[in-house]
Amino acid sequence: MAGLCGVVRAEDESPGVSLIARDSLAGWDAGPEAPRGWSVKNGVLHCEKGCSPITSAWTFGEFEFTLSWRGAPLELSFVGASDGEVIYSGVEGEEVDGTRTIQGKRQGKRIEWAELRGSGSATGEWDPTERVAFRFASTGKAVQITELSVTEPRGKPLFNGRDLTGWWTPGNIGSWPVIDGKIVCINDKGDYLRTEKEYGNFTLSFEYKMAKGGNSGVGIRTPRAAWPSTEGMELQLMDEPAEMPITRHSTMSIYGNVPPLRRNDRSEEWNRVVVKAEGYMISAWMNGELVQQVNTFWSPELKHRFLNGWIGLQDHGARTEFRNIYVLEGASSPGLDQWYQPRRMTGAQTLVNQLMNTEALSRRDVLRPMQPKSIDPFETYPKLDNGRLMGVFEGRGALLSISGLQHSSARLRMYVDGVKQPTIDCVANELLKHVPTIREDLNGPLVYFPFAHQLVVTMEAERVPEHDIEVVAIDEPTKLETVAAAEPELTRQLLPALSYRWEQHGHGGIRQHDRLRKAESEQLTIEPGARIKLVELDGTGVVHWFRLRVPTKTLQAEDLWLEITADGESAPTIAAPVRYFFPGLDQGKNYQNLVVLNKDGLFNRLAMPYVQGISFAVVNRAKRAHKEVQLQVAYDESYRLSDGIRLPLRGFFQRGGELAHQLPSPDARIVGLIAAENGSKSIEPNASPPNELMFRLPIGQPELRETFVGSYHGLSWRWWLTTQPLASQVRLPYSWPTHNWLVLYYTSTGEAR
């Protein structure tokens, strides 16, 4: 059996791939807890003494494998995908000084493997339909796995080498000629060349050659009329110089969301690609090396994408040739249960998920603001330096922002967890060079700087400038990472996804063809004085977004109202002019934010949980009819609110008056405040302008649209998507009769006091 798999493969046979990344545990960290005692250095998987068992993020049907290791005997197991049970487990080899290698093959119900240049061998029989994963464990001493490569059958050809039978495109089919047995993209508005058949779990293999500096992509799991980088998924193909930094647009990135682990493509040469999709697990190999691996189940954006759809090749302006295109279809199983077991989220993951998925804002375990210790603003902190205290925060948390320092040249210092030397010591206006930055906005940057016990902020200045420090508490069971650990996590998966969402909203892109259920009204004319219910949902669920189709000029007046009624309440839960639900869009143009956008209608993405149904109605308070009014609601009935985890969204609209007297109940968390001048001339003497007081907008900029705040065409707004302050903590004026207000908040009672 020594030559079981030790054959030289022809170039056109099934390509083998390595299951060990060059410098990452990618593919071996898919359980609820991080592997203990394992590391990867220069493509070698190291197991220290007493390391925990690890299981692969891939399963296989029929396959061949080669396994080499040094050091102690190695416990090798195969785990069934259907139930996670160990099908085989045994100790391989004896402790020797050199490298030991075994090669094996699983075909049908039989598996066998043998040691090269040795006497060990094993055989077994399994259910031929059972897919298996690798599992390794130490036998008590250190082990180094130097090679683990796997080859699967190629499957069926997607391209017959003669014509485009089985393919289609909404673009120019002439852009995809077949030349010398290859599909060639000749850059003539070819869109995506797409398979007629749709695929769920599969291993795709192909070869491509691209013109220098070219751009293309591989689309997977995309619905027929949808687009890969938005609703399905695109793995990027990009010819870049090797010295260029890796970004979320480099070759084998999951477009816009997850950069590759590394690059291994060859410019202007043939490259061999393998893409494996199994459940939410997406992996890619370039010329045999693992360059992409991500469990999209834990991605704040990709977890919403489709798990079934066409496979496609992209025309993006460069001549690209494709050949040897095969697909091996897998079982419909999502893979091992352990890939999806509950895991402790880190503070950075929790924060970014809240920003991108407003359903998370309704949870009781949402991040909450941490209040500073009461301090004398003129006090110095002699234990540390001669700077004046800006804030002392006690507990487990993270700094999110310090606004008001963008133009300060004073010395800023931060002391973490009682350490006497400052962790951060810099000029205040250069803070972003020293902390992980999430977003830089005019009214203050959003950062992530965690601490375990205490954060002390001082400034060396004659006078501490007016500022606002936002700190969030990170309670158990959320995992508190160090700054050093937070940076790569933010860089690799979180910030690219967040930036992608901002960019998409900025030009009107939305994941419209998502897996959520949709309810849509007819396009109607609303006569003067009429109230018409457009959409009604029964039972329990969460509305993730709603789209209102109305002429843009509707947002320039306050005579068409939207009424939302939830949970059997007799009066509307939220009722206000429609313009307040879509601030900043009254000219039809988009801007970068996370709540509203315009795309064939006006979208609002504040999630609305409900337990006893929810309905949407419009009321025409004008003397003229409103034409072409239509509503679409995207919702999910799989969520359950009866466990008390989620809070429903409520709100109230008020014309002027003493807003602070009508704040929600004490447990409420405000997420939106929208205001407009109502024409009143009554104003309190010496009152501060509301834009400065509550919206944190700069003086002299009446029109500004930022991520969380804005003032545009007489409407001002602020979204709280990070720490959702309690009602009593929001700095609202006691009276501002010149403005109308819409206040949106999550609360357990739905009552306003």
Side-chain angles (χ1 to χ4, degrees), residues 336-554:
L336 294 174
D337 287 344
Q338 79 170 62
W339 298 348
Y340 312 112
Q341 288 179 6
R343 58 173 59 181
R344 288 206 305 159
M345 302 287 281
T346 66
Q349 288 173 322
T350 303
L351 174 64
V352 173
N353 190 58
Q354 281 184 194
L355 290 169
M356 295 185 63
N357 298 290
T358 59
E359 178 273 327
L361 302 178
S362 68
R363 294 178 178 269
R364 290 187 183 276
D365 57 356
V366 71
L367 295 176
R368 57 181 178 81
M370 178 183 287
Q371 298 302 309
K373 292 179 62 178
S374 179
I375 60 173
D376 180 348
F378 298 101
E379 179 185 359
T380 60
Y381 210 64
K383 294 180 182 179
L384 302 177
D385 58 38
N386 293 321
R388 298 190 181 276
L389 273 177
M390 297 177 67
V392 177
F393 299 86
E394 303 283 356
R396 195 171 177 268
L399 172 71
L400 294 188
S401 70
I402 305 182
S403 62
L405 304 183
Q406 293 92 321
H407 305 292
S408 174
S409 59
R411 201 75 192 174
L412 181 69
R413 297 186 180 95
M414 297 187 195
Y415 299 84
V416 175
D417 300 333
V419 177
K420 294 184 178 181
Q421 295 300 316
T423 304
I424 301 294
D425 185 351
C426 66
V427 176
N429 58 22
E430 295 184 353
L431 175 62
L432 297 187
K433 297 179 180 180
H434 301 272
V435 295
T437 304
I438 293 177
R439 183 71 174 174
E440 185 174 1
D441 275 343
L442 192 60
N443 71 319
L446 182 64
V447 301
Y448 184 75
F449 185 72
F451 55 92
H453 308 294
Q454 183 190 67
L455 173 67
V456 176
V457 184
T458 71
M459 176 172 280
E460 191 175 311
E462 290 295 325
R463 182 183 62 84
V464 175
E466 185 176 344
H467 64 279
D468 188 9
I469 302 180
E470 185 179 10
V471 175
V472 64
I474 299 180
D475 299 325
E476 293 285 358
T478 304
K479 188 186 301 181
L480 183 69
E481 66 276 65
T482 64
V483 175
E487 182 80 56
E489 179 185 44
L490 284 164
T491 303
R492 164 93 168 117
Q493 289 193 36
L494 299 179
L495 296 190
L498 191 56
S499 296
Y500 176 82
R501 174 72 60 82
W502 265 306
E503 291 174 2
Q504 290 291 304
H505 280 202
H507 59 71
I510 187 171
R511 191 181 54 252
Q512 191 170 338
H513 297 280
D514 54 29
R515 292 181 287 145
L516 298 171
R517 300 186 65 179
K518 310 293 192 305
E520 188 170 32
S521 72
E522 297 179 352
Q523 194 172 75
L524 301 172
T525 295
I526 315 299
E527 299 294 340
R531 180 187 185 276
I532 298 180
K533 187 181 294 184
L534 298 180
V535 169
E536 184 171 22
L537 305 175
D538 297 325
T540 299
V542 175
V543 171
H544 286 262
W545 53 260
F546 67 88
R547 175 179 63 179
L548 185 65
R549 289 193 180 103
V550 292
T552 303
K553 63 182 181 181
T554 303

Side-chain angles (χ1 to χ4, degrees), residues 100-412:
R100 310 193 74 145
T101 298
I102 60 175
Q103 291 185 329
K105 180 176 184 179
R106 190 263 181 101
Q107 188 170 15
K109 64 181 181 180
R110 185 173 178 81
I111 185 167
E112 55 185 0
W113 63 92
E115 184 178 353
L116 297 185
R117 297 177 299 279
S119 58
S121 64
T123 61
E125 292 190 356
W126 303 335
D127 177 353
T129 65
E130 181 70 87
R131 297 178 64 83
V132 297
F134 287 89
R135 178 174 292 173
F136 295 115
S138 167
T139 53
K141 297 182 179 180
V143 176
Q144 299 86 44
I145 300 176
T146 58
E147 179 184 2
L148 178 58
S149 59
V150 167
T151 301
E152 293 183 272
R154 302 186 87 174
K156 297 180 180 179
L158 288 180
F159 169 51
N160 62 22
R162 302 182 304 276
D163 55 41
L164 296 179
T165 299
W167 297 80
W168 72 284
T169 178
N172 178 17
I173 193 67
S175 183
W176 299 97
V178 176
I179 303 175
D180 296 331
K182 301 180 289 290
I183 296 177
V184 181
C185 173
I186 59 173
N187 182 23
D188 188 19
K189 300 180 181 179
D191 195 270
Y192 257 97
L193 183 65
R194 316 167 186 214
T195 59
E196 290 282 0
K197 185 175 178 178
E198 296 188 346
Y199 299 88
N201 293 344
F202 58 84
T203 300
L204 169 72
S205 60
F206 65 93
E207 295 171 71
Y208 79 95
K209 183 167 67 171
M210 181 184 295
K212 189 174 183 61
N215 185 342
S216 182
V218 181
I220 63 173
R221 290 175 161 180
T222 306
R224 188 171 180 87
W227 192 251
S229 61
T230 307
E231 287 91 10
M233 205 169 292
E234 177 186 331
L235 288 104
Q236 177 83 306
L237 297 176
M238 178 80 77
D239 185 80
E240 295 178 316
E243 64 274 11
M244 282 192 65
I246 290 177
T247 72
R248 58 194 173 100
H249 299 302
S250 296
T251 292
M252 286 297 104
S253 63
I254 298 182
Y255 181 83
N257 281 270
V258 185
L261 298 166
R262 58 181 293 108
R263 58 165 52 98
N264 196 42
D265 57 305
R266 300 187 286 261
S267 180
E268 299 183 272
E269 297 182 25
W270 284 104
N271 293 277
R272 195 176 70 231
V273 177
V274 175
V275 176
K276 192 173 181 66
E278 184 172 9
Y280 289 85
M281 205 68 75
I282 303 294
S283 307
W285 292 261
M286 179 68 68
N287 298 316
E289 183 171 349
L290 181 64
V291 294
Q292 179 61 270
Q293 205 288 315
V294 60
N295 186 348
T296 62
F297 188 79
W298 304 110
S299 165
E301 164 59 33
L302 299 177
K303 64 183 179 182
H304 302 288
R305 303 294 181 89
F306 280 91
L307 299 179
N308 189 78
W310 50 258
I311 293 171
L313 310 173
Q314 187 183 28
D315 179 354
H316 204 298
R319 182 183 176 91
T320 310
E321 303 177 35
F322 300 91
R323 70 184 184 189
N324 294 327
I325 310 171
Y326 288 82
V327 64
L328 174 68
E329 293 189 73
S332 59
S333 165
L336 294 174
D337 287 344
Q338 79 170 62
W339 298 348
Y340 312 112
Q341 288 179 6
R343 58 173 59 181
R344 288 206 305 159
M345 302 287 281
T346 66
Q349 288 173 322
T350 303
L351 174 64
V352 173
N353 190 58
Q354 281 184 194
L355 290 169
M356 295 185 63
N357 298 290
T358 59
E359 178 273 327
L361 302 178
S362 68
R363 294 178 178 269
R364 290 187 183 276
D365 57 356
V366 71
L367 295 176
R368 57 181 178 81
M370 178 183 287
Q371 298 302 309
K373 292 179 62 178
S374 179
I375 60 173
D376 180 348
F378 298 101
E379 179 185 359
T380 60
Y381 210 64
K383 294 180 182 179
L384 302 177
D385 58 38
N386 293 321
R388 298 190 181 276
L389 273 177
M390 297 177 67
V392 177
F393 299 86
E394 303 283 356
R396 195 171 177 268
L399 172 71
L400 294 188
S401 70
I402 305 182
S403 62
L405 304 183
Q406 293 92 321
H407 305 292
S408 174
S409 59
R411 201 75 192 174
L412 181 69

